[in-house]
Amino acid sequence: MMSVPTHSPNANRLLIADTDTEALRLAAVVAAKLGYAVASASNEAQFCDEVAHFAPTVILIDPQVLGANAFDPLRWLGVRLATATLILTSAQDPIPLTPEEINMAYGLEVSSMLRKPLDEGSLATALTPTLNLSRRISEADLRRAVDRAQLCTHYQPRMRRDADGWSITGVEALLRWNHPEYGLIFPQEFIGVAEEHGLIGALTDFVLQDGIDCVSGWNRAGRRLGLSVNLSPKLFTDVDFADRMSEFLWNHGVAPEQLTLEITESAALNDPSGTLEILSRLRARGIGLALDDFGIGYSSLTQLYKLPFSEVKIDKAIGMEIPQTPAARMIVRAIVDLGHHLGLAVCCEGVESKIALDLLHKCGCDHAQGYFIARPMPAEDLSRWIDAHGGAAALRAAS
Ligand code: C2E
Ligand code: MG
Ligand code: MG
């Protein structure tokens, strides 16, 4: 069971992670003035506990000071898929890692870097934009985003294993919000709001429409790619969904086998009987179904055979750990074997290195997706990216 966060109702929650009592005190005063609820942590145990229970929206952290005894707080946050924005502090000049390096290495968003000693002015400057960041997602904002066409889709290539390497066979559509003031906003910040306020159907229609338009265009250009689209559980109320989907695909010249709908485990668990009926209809029409984010959170092995999935996707938190953690490699092998025994294709997400890709090849994983292959990108860039990688876009495996 996942532990239930008991965080404050304040939408702006700052966790200050440092051992310097003066830094802790000053940051707490400045943040409280700005309207943050504040918690602090001065060791590994407190830090892990506060991240789980206080669920900070922003973390002000000196990773060198907090990391001790082989504990790397940034890696730990990355593996947990923490969504908090980070403000890094350091007494070193220059600060050893850049925000881009941290994003690349751990998938974390760093909004600013502060050199110690901290002062009130620089703390307020760093904490103000992140305050807006966590306040900005309201229902009204999101409605405007839909109406004013501020949504866009990025596509991340997926590769399929063949005898001696990998080739591009499909893409996953990932929703983005191109905010006029704040730039690109990622789905974890707004999918929850959309679900809560009945806007998720409009967002999903947008992603399906854009994705199928793209695939239809690629088909006409002779480039046949599969499309994976994430589906929210809230949409499993309409038994005619499968019929409407088949008709839509047919009208766009896209084969049902080219579409895979991805559902997270928590979603699939909500209403087993209604879900089963809708999923069975989709599979009967040839549309693929993937169980997303497998191996973390609500992992339930029974979902794999009780619901008619065609694919299982190993969560990126496990994929990212392949190079450095023997247990992650064992888990991947076990899921690949299990999936194959159940007749499912297996895709591993979070492939960030050649080592991971080669290991997946060796253990027979069918598909791979991750930053080592490519980051999600706009459709125009995708065509160029595939061309640049040589049409069939193949990556050879290590011999
Ligand atoms: P997901 O479906 O598991 O998508 C994979 C996420 O992992 C994407 O994040 C992708 O950018 C990221 N990712 C891919 N490769 C790597 C890697 O090598 N390393 C790391 N650290 N991350 C990697 P993104 O785009 O922020 O999406 C997050 C989640 O939001 C998605 O997770 C999905 O659950 C949800 N989502 C995205 N688009 C939609 C949508 O249209 N509808 C719904 N309902 N949910 C969506
Ligand atoms: Mg997905
Ligand atoms: Mg996933």
Side-chain angles (χ1 to χ4, degrees), residues 172 230 262 264 291-294 313-316 349 369:
E172 177 172 3
N230 295 284
E262 299 192 358
T264 57
L291 182 56
D292 204 356
D293 302 343
F294 187 74
K313 291 189 86 173
I314 302 174
D315 191 81
K316 68 178 173 198
E349 294 187 318
Q369 184 180 339

Side-chain angles (χ1 to χ4, degrees), residues 41-348:
S42 53
N43 59 45
E44 174 187 338
Q46 279 173 359
F47 178 72
C48 298
D49 193 54
E50 293 295 355
V51 169
H53 295 107
F54 181 62
T57 54
V58 182
I59 303 177
L60 179 82
I61 181 171
D62 183 334
Q64 274 93 23
V65 166
L66 202 81
N69 304 325
F71 175 64
D72 176 348
L74 298 183
R75 168 157 296 284
W76 186 83
L77 288 169
V79 170
R80 270 190 73 96
L81 304 178
T83 51
T85 303
L86 304 188
I87 300 171
L88 294 195
T89 61
S90 174
Q92 292 183 28
D93 186 19
I95 297 180
L97 288 169
T98 66
E100 292 72 31
E101 284 166 341
I102 291 170
N103 183 263
M104 187 67 196
Y106 309 109
L108 300 170
E109 188 193 339
V110 178
S111 70
S112 53
M113 307 258 197
L114 295 180
R115 202 152 59 78
K116 284 176 163 174
L118 302 175
D119 63 76
E120 196 166 336
S122 57
L123 276 167
T125 307
L127 285 166
T128 304
T130 50
L131 180 75
N132 292 334
L133 203 74
S134 45
R135 270 189 181 161
R136 69 190 171 197
I137 311 301
S138 71
E139 181 196 350
D141 278 354
L142 206 48
R143 280 194 195 280
R144 272 196 294 275
V146 178
D147 294 343
R148 295 184 191 169
Q150 291 167 5
L151 300 174
C152 63
T153 313
H154 282 186
Y155 294 92
Q156 186 176 33
R158 283 163 51 107
M159 291 191 135
R160 191 178 63 203
R161 180 183 183 276
D162 52 35
D164 61 345
W166 299 89
S167 37
I168 304 290
T169 51
V171 292
E172 177 172 3
L174 295 159
L175 189 57
R176 304 285 181 259
W177 177 359
N178 213 336
H179 195 286
E181 207 176 325
Y182 301 114
L184 219 53
I185 308 183
F186 291 85
Q188 262 150 358
E189 276 189 65
F190 60 84
I191 291 290
V193 179
E195 286 180 343
E196 215 175 295
H197 298 285
L199 284 165
I200 190 70
L203 299 193
T204 307
D205 284 351
F206 171 84
V207 179
L208 281 167
Q209 177 86 59
D210 192 73
I212 289 166
D213 278 350
C214 287
V215 173
S216 171
W218 295 328
N219 278 354
R220 286 196 301 276
R223 177 170 279 155
R224 202 179 160 87
L225 292 172
L227 172 74
S228 300
V229 173
N230 295 284
L231 216 63
S232 162
K234 306 276 175 199
L235 297 173
F236 286 141
T237 48
D238 174 9
V239 280
D240 297 328
F241 179 69
D243 288 334
R244 288 192 290 111
M245 202 64 248
S246 304
E247 197 185 319
F248 190 67
L249 291 169
W250 171 260
N251 289 339
H252 285 77
V254 174
E257 293 72 26
Q258 285 184 273
L259 178 67
T260 298
L261 299 173
E262 299 192 358
I263 302 143
T264 57
E265 298 190 83
S266 52
L269 285 167
N270 276 350
D271 167 21
S273 60
T275 306
L276 177 62
E277 162 142 32
I278 294 167
L279 296 186
S280 304
R281 287 182 180 217
L282 287 163
R283 281 300 294 134
R285 282 157 188 76
I287 293 168
L289 290 175
L291 182 56
D292 204 356
D293 302 343
F294 187 74
I296 58 149
Y298 292 88
S299 284
S300 160
L301 293 172
T302 50
Q303 296 304 314
L304 277 182
Y305 72 89
K306 290 218 168 130
L307 294 173
F309 289 107
S310 48
E311 175 182 331
V312 55
K313 291 189 86 173
I314 302 174
D315 191 81
K316 68 178 173 198
I318 300 172
M320 284 162 63
E321 282 290 299
I322 290 175
Q324 56 277 356
T325 314
R329 297 196 279 277
M330 277 186 259
I331 290 169
V332 167
R333 281 181 204 282
I335 299 177
V336 169
D337 286 348
L338 176 72
H340 288 171
H341 279 116
L342 294 170
L344 303 170
V346 182
C347 176
C348 186

